Amino acid sequence: RAIIESIAGARPDNEVLRRVNAVLLPGLRVPPETARYTYASLRVFVVVVGLVLLLACANVATLLLMRNVTRRGRVATQRALGASPGRIARYQLTESALLATLGTVVGLLVAWLIAVPFAGERVARGMPAFAGFQMDVGVLVFAVVASTLTLVGFGAVPAMMAGHFDLA
């Protein structure tokens, strides 16, 4: 508003500048008629990303389950030597937590490397519905929550079952 008023003050004869009003646009900083299409596209993008994440989690679950199947002999030996089921579960849960943490850190690093060229508005010229990618707290929270859910769902359950089988 201050810029518009200073320009209108410099050109008092221009009637159009007197009628111009600044508007603050919420959300993606786009006009309301463009925002509808932009948000629809972003919803599709979020669904696709969610499905890819679900597929990755299913792959991790398969790998963790197969890891536990191949370790049955070692776990049986540890149990025969006196290790408690709780100790075996803690060991496997710690290992799964380390894998989840490393996966989260690598995933965030890759996301940051992808977002760097698209940061800011220099890429957004000519694209009114795009203001650039940003790595913010929401991305970090989503990554940590997804990693924790993967750890609990696909690491804790097999770890709890690891020490509970017939040693024979």
Side-chain angles (χ1 to χ4, degrees), residues 7 12 22 27 32 37 46-48 57 59 64-65 77 80 82 102 114 132 134-135 139 143 152 154 156 159 161:
I7 293 172
Y37 301 112
V46 166
V47 168
V48 169
C57 288
N59 287 337
L64 290 174
L65 289 173
T77 305
L102 286 174
I114 290 171
Q134 293 180 357
M135 293 288 291
V139 173
V152 169
F154 302 128
M161 294 171 42

Side-chain angles (χ1 to χ4, degrees), residues 28 30-45 129:
L28 292 175
V30 295
E33 61 273 0
T34 310
R36 180 177 49 181
Y37 301 112
T38 303
Y39 285 124
S41 300
L42 288 177
R43 282 188 206 102
V44 170
F45 184 69

Side-chain angles (χ1 to χ4, degrees), residues 29-119:
R29 298 178 299 226
V30 295
E33 61 273 0
T34 310
R36 180 177 49 181
Y37 301 112
T38 303
Y39 285 124
S41 300
L42 288 177
R43 282 188 206 102
V44 170
F45 184 69
V46 166
V47 168
V48 169
V49 168
L51 290 175
V52 169
L53 183 61
L54 182 64
L55 182 65
C57 288
N59 287 337
V60 169
T62 304
L63 290 173
L64 290 174
L65 289 173
M66 290 308 297
R67 183 184 68 178
N68 284 339
V69 167
T70 59
R71 288 184 174 177
R72 281 196 159 196
R74 191 180 87 188
V75 170
T77 305
Q78 290 174 340
R79 287 282 313 276
L81 291 174
S84 69
R87 182 176 182 146
I88 293 169
R90 280 192 305 273
Y91 173 76
Q92 289 191 355
L93 189 60
T94 302
E95 203 172 59
S96 296
L98 180 64
L99 284 172
T101 302
L102 286 174
T104 302
V105 168
V106 169
L108 285 171
L109 179 65
V110 168
W112 179 76
L113 288 173
I114 290 171
V116 165
F118 296 106

